Amino acid sequence: MENFKEKEYKVFEMFDKQWAVVTAGSMEHYNSCTVSWGSLGNIWGTAGKSRPTVTVYVHPARYTSEFLKNSDTFTVSFYPESCKKALGYIGSHSGRDGDKAVGAGLTPIEIGQGVTYKEANLTFLCKKLYQHQFSKEDITTEVQEYYASMPKEYPDFNGGWQPHIVFVGELIEVRDER
């Protein structure tokens, strides 16, 4: 685990171009969704020993957000290009309606107290440190307009929109098979 900090991660490409799958829950009951908003960083620690973190942003309308809110851990996993179609499936279907792993052709496996998929070539297991929904009034006008232009994508279930929830997790285990 210690040498993960020495590895090279193209964080801007990882989330934006490669996408990721965030998963929360237990092997018995979990859910996943595709995310393209996220970051790696450091926060909250003693001088020189800050905690390595993974941050993801999930809309509250996503079924996975319920699992994230109620779980102490979550995983963020990345995949080879050959899995792009599976990630598209995970991102466009709801776990409320069926088993997305089966539909996507992915194999769930345990990692610590979390769930990832065998096909992932990089998985971060995270202990949740923080969660909070962004406040509409604290978001810049430009971003508010972005959300407001797509109320069906970011519904508040009253005809308007609502922003994402930020989940920050301390990186506690890495499975790197790149």
Side-chain angles (χ1 to χ4, degrees):
M1 168 78 177
E2 288 81 36
N3 70 349
F4 78 91
K5 289 183 178 182
E6 298 169 11
K7 299 257 183 168
E8 185 172 320
Y9 304 102
K10 296 180 179 179
V11 295
F12 297 106
E13 291 178 22
M14 289 171 66
F15 285 99
D16 193 35
K17 292 186 172 57
Q18 202 178 341
W19 304 342
V21 171
V22 61
T23 305
S26 65
M27 283 297 290
E28 294 76 32
H29 188 59
Y30 65 91
N31 200 64
S32 305
C33 69
T34 304
V35 294
S36 62
W37 296 355
S39 60
L40 303 177
N42 297 293
I43 198 170
W44 297 317
T46 59
K49 298 205 183 230
S50 60
R51 297 174 193 216
T53 58
V54 179
T55 303
V56 291
Y57 308 88
V58 178
H59 194 269
R62 300 297 300 261
Y63 187 42
T64 306
S65 73
E66 296 174 27
F67 287 81
L68 285 161
K69 286 189 240 177
N70 295 312
S71 297
D72 293 330
T73 61
F74 62 90
T75 62
V76 179
S77 51
F78 297 88
Y79 298 78
E81 185 65 31
S82 60
C83 291
K84 196 73 164 184
K85 187 175 180 181
L87 298 186
Y89 185 92
I90 293 285
S92 62
H93 290 77
S94 175
R96 291 180 183 103
D97 302 327
D99 189 333
K100 292 197 300 187
V102 169
L106 297 176
T107 311
I109 59 171
E110 222 167 18
I111 177 173
Q113 298 296 312
V115 178
T116 189
Y117 296 97
K118 181 180 173 184
E119 295 78 10
N121 59 11
L122 176 63
T123 298
F124 298 119
L125 174 63
C126 304
K127 175 185 164 197
K128 187 172 60 178
L129 297 174
Y130 179 78
Q131 67 184 29
H132 189 78
Q133 186 171 15
F134 287 113
S135 167
K136 280 184 174 185
E137 50 277 348
D138 292 332
I139 296 174
T140 185
T141 303
E142 177 185 353
V143 177
Q144 287 184 34
E145 290 168 358
Y146 165 81
Y147 276 112
S149 73
M150 295 182 279
K152 289 183 181 176
E153 291 286 320
Y154 306 116
D156 67 358
F157 306 107
N158 293 313
W161 62 274
Q162 63 179 323
H164 283 63
I165 302 169
V166 59
F167 295 93
V168 178
E170 178 180 9
L171 207 155
I172 57 174
E173 188 175 331
V174 178
R175 179 177 170 257
D176 191 345
E177 298 179 356
R178 294 175 297 161

